[in-house]
Amino acid sequence: MMDLHEQINLVDSNKKLAEFVEALRNDLLSNPEDWENTRLDLFLEAMAAWVHSMENVYKNTDREFPNQPSWKMIADILYAAKGYE
């Protein structure tokens, strides 16, 4: 089975994003110890913080920051909120 980080690369449509969100939920239920932000308020706080700094994250990981968001970018944001502090 593909890990969550690898699944991000498959997200190219709303259906694939929905599948990714379902996989995130399943991961949270199965592996809560792997999550920094298990409560919704903490998850949303981490998501906002990551979005504020995502241009730097993209730059630091040698990825071009897109002019327009994509389904994959939304998956990136959701995945990052899992563990961003």
Side-chain angles (χ1 to χ4, degrees):
M1 183 174 177
M2 193 179 307
D3 77 13
L4 286 172
H5 192 261
E6 292 171 338
Q7 288 180 35
I8 292 171
N9 293 321
L10 302 177
V11 177
D12 61 1
S13 68
N14 62 319
K15 292 181 192 307
K16 294 284 178 104
L17 180 61
E19 291 171 6
F20 181 75
V21 171
E22 290 168 352
L24 275 175
R25 179 185 177 275
N26 291 337
D27 187 65
L28 173 60
L29 294 174
S30 300
N31 307 299
E33 68 281 355
D34 293 340
W35 285 62
E36 182 69 32
N37 302 304
T38 58
R39 293 189 346 228
L40 181 59
D41 61 321
L42 297 175
F43 185 83
L44 293 173
E45 180 181 21
M47 185 185 301
W50 197 84
V51 170
H52 280 296
S53 64
M54 68 189 295
E55 282 188 69
N56 288 330
V57 172
Y58 273 64
K59 182 180 178 181
N60 292 339
T61 55
D62 294 324
R63 294 184 288 167
E64 185 176 332
F65 187 74
N67 292 327
Q68 293 293 317
S70 65
W71 296 113
K72 182 182 179 302
M73 180 186 275
I74 296 168
D76 266 340
I77 293 167
L78 292 169
Y79 180 80
K82 171 185 171 185
Y84 196 75
E85 294 182 50

